[in-house]
Structures are given as structure tokens and as C-alpha cells.
């Protein structure tokens, strides 16, 4: 997001996010849309945080009087089954790449192609190992993981991503599903995002 920043927070015990927009320019008003159209001077006026309960593309811009003053910022907020889930980290993420903290893995936002956007969570000299506790049994049809490679900054894709599903968190001795996706992209590929 440029000129208009977007942040999300979980709404307790609900499958929705509270969305907060902020004006990084310091003047004017934020106008936004939730339908994929570009914001105009008569679009929704941002006055306070709002909730989303479905995956939505938010487009926002800063307006001064009747003219758009900033570029249009666009962000997709993903609604998913792990919104209210607890995340248990077995390895700590890098202080340099926190991704926004412990909720970064299920905050509904994805990192951009810019590794300095503050949304990437990085791990140095250790594998990322986390458990996402959904709290109750839920049907899982897919798992999505975003990764970034920026060779010039020594940021590389993982060698592989392993996913396992368990019915009971305390007894993780037997998974009901497990799978591994091998990385097929060379570490010589300069920049890439999946």
C-alpha cells in the first residue's frame, strides 16, 4: 500500500478481520472501494475501522478537495479458516523479518514482491516450524503458503514445504494427512514470489 496503509486485526471469536486504513501523506481524506473499482471522489469515505467477512480487494487513495492526491493502493484481504486460530511457533522468526509479529501467518495479508514491505516473516539458520491450532475440527481443502526469493539480499525459497494435519494438538504423534512440496526454483533465480 502506498500513501494509504492497510492493517488488519482479528475480531475475537469471529471469522472476520477489522481493517484499518491510514493516510501516510498526512492530509486529505481516504476514499476507498470494496468492489475492485478504482476509488473516486464520491467513493466510500474512510472514517473508522471496518470489518470484512469475505475475501475482498480494497482499493484506496487520498483525496484533497475533489482531486485524487495519491496513487491508488490495492490490497487483497484473504478470509480463511485459520483467522481466529492460535499459532504455536517452534522456531522463532528473524528480528529483521517479523512480518508484523506472531499473527503475521494468519492476518489475511500477503507480502508483496518487496522484501522490505514489513509483511514477510523470515527465518535465519533454522527451519520455520509452526502449528496452527484451529481449535475445532474443520474440513481443510487446501493450504496456501507465500514465499519470496531475493538472491541479492540473501533471501531464498525454502528447500521444501511440509504440511501435516492432526486431529488433536497435544497428541501430534499421528497425522491424518501429510505432504511435502519440493522447491524446484534455483537459488540463482534473482527474484521471485509464490
Amino acid at each position: 500500500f502506498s500513501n494509504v496503509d492497510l492493517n488488519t486485526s482479528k475480531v475475537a471469536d469471529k471469522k472476520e478481520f477489522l481493517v484499518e486504513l491510514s493516510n501516510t501523506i498526512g492530509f486529505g481524506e481516504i476514499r476507498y472501494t470494496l468492489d475492485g473499482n478504482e476509488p473516486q471522489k464520491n467513493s466510500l469515505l474512510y472514517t473508522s475501522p471496518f470489518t470484512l467477512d469475505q475475501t475482498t480487494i480494497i482499493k484506496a487513495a487520498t483525496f484533497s478537495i475533489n482531486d485524487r492526491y495519491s496513487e491508488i493502493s490495492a490490497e487483497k484481504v484473504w478470509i480463511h479458516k485459520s483467522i481466529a486460530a492460535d499459532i504455536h511457533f517452534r522456531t522463532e522468526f528473524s528480528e529483521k523479518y517479523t512480518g508484523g509479529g506472531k499473527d503475521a501467518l494468519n492476518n489475511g495479508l500477503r507480502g508483496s514482491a518487496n522484501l522490505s514491505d514489513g509483511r514477510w516473516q523470515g527465518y535465519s539458520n533454522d527451519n520455520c516450524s509452526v502449528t496452527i491450532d484451529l481449535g475445532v475440527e474443520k474440513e481443510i481443502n487446501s493450504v496456501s503458503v507465500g514465499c519470496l526469493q531475493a538472491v541479492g539480499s540473501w533471501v531464498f525459497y525454502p528447500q521444501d514445504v511440509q504440511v501435516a494435519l492432526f486431529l488433536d494438538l497435544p497428541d501430534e504423534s499421528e497425522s491424518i494427512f501429510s505432504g511435502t512440496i519440493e522447491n524446484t526454483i534455483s537459488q540463482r533465480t534473482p527474484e521471485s514470489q509464490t
Side-chain angles (χ1 to χ4, degrees):
F1 249 59
S2 60
N3 299 322
V4 176
D5 280 340
L6 179 143
N7 287 298
T8 62
S9 56
K10 300 175 208 176
V11 177
D13 300 324
K14 293 190 177 181
K15 192 175 177 181
E16 59 188 30
F17 286 115
L18 185 67
V19 177
E20 182 176 0
L21 303 177
S22 59
N23 178 347
T24 61
I25 295 174
F27 64 90
E29 58 189 22
I30 299 172
R31 297 281 179 168
Y32 68 100
T33 64
L34 302 174
D35 60 6
N37 289 317
E38 293 188 355
Q40 306 294 324
K41 61 184 177 184
N42 60 347
S43 295
L44 296 168
L45 173 64
Y46 179 77
T47 57
S48 63
F50 56 91
T51 58
L52 289 179
D53 62 2
Q54 61 186 5
T55 298
T56 303
I57 295 174
I58 301 171
K59 291 189 177 182
T62 303
F63 287 79
S64 179
I65 307 188
N66 289 325
D67 297 321
R68 190 178 85 217
Y69 189 77
S70 71
E71 293 185 23
I72 295 173
S73 302
E75 186 77 52
K76 189 170 193 174
V77 178
W78 298 85
I79 302 297
H80 49 79
K81 293 183 180 181
S82 73
I83 288 174
D86 290 328
I87 298 179
H88 306 278
F89 288 83
R90 293 186 177 147
T91 52
E92 286 298 317
F93 45 82
S94 167
E95 290 180 15
K96 187 174 180 180
Y97 298 107
T98 66
K102 296 203 178 271
D103 290 332
L105 298 182
N106 66 350
N107 68 0
L109 304 174
R110 301 225 20 179
S112 70
N114 177 358
L115 72 99
S116 299
D117 70 2
R119 297 226 174 115
W120 288 105
Q121 204 165 74
Y123 294 81
S124 181
N125 301 322
D126 208 350
N127 293 325
C128 168
S129 180
V130 298
T131 300
I132 299 175
D133 182 1
L134 299 177
V136 297
E137 189 174 326
K138 295 181 182 181
E139 181 178 338
I140 304 296
N141 297 311
S142 65
V143 175
S144 175
V145 177
C147 299
L148 176 74
Q149 180 159 295
V151 176
S153 297
W154 289 86
V155 175
F156 301 98
Y157 283 138
Q159 292 178 352
D160 60 57
V161 174
Q162 299 175 9
V163 175
L165 302 177
F166 301 90
L167 285 178
D168 190 20
L169 180 64
D171 180 20
E172 293 185 7
S173 59
E174 202 171 313
S175 67
I176 58 172
F177 169 84
S178 67
T180 300
I181 299 170
E182 300 289 334
N183 176 15
T184 59
I185 299 172
S186 168
Q187 287 188 347
R188 292 189 179 117
T189 303
E191 291 192 15
S192 185
Q193 178 184 5
T194 61

